[in-house]
Amino acid sequence: MCFIWTCTRYLARRNPKVCVRISHPLAVLFVILTTFFFVGLQMFYVVPQLFDVGGMMYKLGWLLAIFIMYNIFGNMLACHVTNTSVESLPKDRQVAAPEEEHLWHYCDICEKLMPPRSWHCILCKCCILKRDHHCIFAATCIGHKNQRYFFWCTFFMALGTGVAWATHTIASLKYFIYSNLHSHNLPPFWLVFTLMLNTYALAAPVSLVIMQLSELGHNGALYDFNSDIYDMGLWENFKMIVGEKVLWTFLSPTVKSPLPHDGTQWKIKKADISEY
Ligand SMILES: [Zn+2]
Ligand SMILES: [Zn+2]
């Protein structure tokens, strides 16, 4: 993951156009292919080692797999189509009100004042509200308006690979459990190999979820990671990402959940004043 991150940053700085043209389709294709690969492997080869294909548990397995896939692809698509740039604001909110001006900063590239916590992205070619990072897998920047979808997308990727990893491990252990002193019943090579692949596949989304949770803990973003001045407590921080429906947003990216503000106003901890 760090290797992909470093390569993308290097390419983005050297040639943003090429970076967008190459990395975006490759990254999206990678997510689609690996998701279908692991779901197919899980449902057609690994789960049948544990449950009867015609039984209730197998059918429940399919329901879970479809729910997880729907949320991975649905949240990924919602991430991509949700415009979180400063230009997505109503015209009158794109300009600082006189009492807000001292809190806004000047963007040399856009050549105008921008709201607090917004930063310019050389790949999106605009300033992004509460910019977190540019995600090649969603082919857009992650910021104030689409962080909800990124959060749940990585969560479901971690959940899916986690469930697959647990099933793989139990299916492998089953061979050892049925062994006895006279017969060593080893799992087939393909099961051990795909278990190793699954372990690598689990590491990437889990590290992304850990990163998101550590940001959530102090209402930070990747570009102000060490600052906790916007920390309003875990529940309020979570609401600022997923919106008023909070945990209901787990069910689907289509659940309407308005955000508490438009991304230009950030309360500061302790000082008890609002940044406008
Ligand atoms: Zn800018
Ligand atoms: Zn961007």
Side-chain angles (χ1 to χ4, degrees):
M1 208 64 198
C2 289
F3 176 72
I4 297 172
W5 173 261
T6 311
C7 287
T8 312
R9 275 175 76 91
Y10 175 77
L11 190 60
R13 289 209 172 117
R14 266 190 85 84
N15 198 331
K17 263 188 184 172
V18 173
C19 179
V20 166
R21 217 177 295 150
I22 294 175
S23 65
H24 284 179
L26 281 182
V28 172
L29 194 66
F30 175 76
V31 172
I32 293 171
L33 291 180
T34 48
T35 306
F36 276 106
F37 170 75
F38 279 109
V39 170
L41 177 72
Q42 172 80 355
M43 295 313 299
F44 294 120
Y45 296 96
V46 183
V47 177
Q49 306 260 335
L50 297 173
F51 302 111
D52 178 20
V53 173
M56 181 59 77
M57 289 304 284
Y58 187 72
K59 285 172 187 158
L60 286 175
W62 264 117
L63 277 180
L64 181 65
I66 290 166
F67 176 66
I68 290 174
M69 275 175 83
Y70 163 72
N71 271 290
I72 290 173
F73 293 137
N75 281 297
M76 206 169 127
L77 182 66
C79 244
H80 178 71
V81 298
T82 306
N83 186 352
T84 187
S85 71
V86 176
E87 287 153 22
S88 69
L89 292 168
K91 285 275 180 238
D92 60 323
R93 293 299 306 151
Q94 290 182 31
V95 183
E99 68 273 18
E100 302 174 4
E101 249 175 41
H102 67 289
L103 295 163
W104 289 41
H105 60 275
Y106 190 76
C107 173
D108 292 332
I109 305 164
C110 299
E111 297 181 334
K112 62 178 196 172
L113 283 175
M114 289 295 169
R117 306 193 80 186
S118 61
W119 298 102
H120 194 88
C121 174
I122 51 170
L123 299 179
C124 297
K125 296 178 184 161
C126 57
C127 274
I128 305 293
L129 292 165
K130 192 207 165 188
R131 181 165 186 258
D132 193 70
H133 68 285
H134 187 94
C135 176
I136 55 168
F137 299 101
T140 191
C141 255
I142 305 303
H144 177 65
K145 291 184 182 175
N146 64 358
Q147 196 171 3
R148 160 195 166 177
Y149 306 116
F150 181 73
F151 177 83
W152 286 125
C153 183
T154 53
F155 174 85
F156 278 102
M157 281 177 176
L159 180 67
T161 45
V163 170
W165 186 85
T167 325
H168 253 100
T169 307
I170 295 166
S172 305
L173 286 175
K174 207 179 92 174
Y175 284 88
F176 293 108
I177 291 164
Y178 287 118
S179 297
N180 55 44
L181 285 173
H182 307 291
S183 73
H184 295 287
N185 202 4
L186 293 172
F189 173 75
W190 70 265
L191 192 62
V192 178
F193 178 71
T194 53
L195 174 61
M196 281 165 62
L197 275 184
N198 202 153
T199 308
Y200 284 114
L202 176 65
V206 164
S207 54
L208 284 172
V209 169
I210 291 170
M211 189 190 81
Q212 290 285 301
L213 289 176
S214 46
E215 284 184 15
L216 179 70
H218 60 278
N219 196 13
L222 215 57
Y223 283 78
D224 53 13
F225 194 77
N226 295 320
S227 167
D228 68 346
I229 59 168
Y230 303 108
D231 183 10
M232 295 290 126
L234 194 61
W235 190 245
E236 288 304 314
N237 295 348
F238 194 43
K239 264 188 179 176
M240 271 184 260
I241 292 175
V242 298
E244 286 168 10
K245 289 281 162 43
V246 204
L247 291 173
W248 287 106
T249 56
F250 164 84
L251 293 175
S252 166
T254 57
V255 172
K256 294 266 179 286
S257 183
L259 292 167
H261 59 79
D262 65 5
T264 62
Q265 304 166 337
W266 293 96
K267 278 186 184 168
I268 292 177
K269 192 176 145 185
K270 292 173 192 163
D272 199 27
I273 52 166
S274 292
E275 276 197 3
Y276 283 103

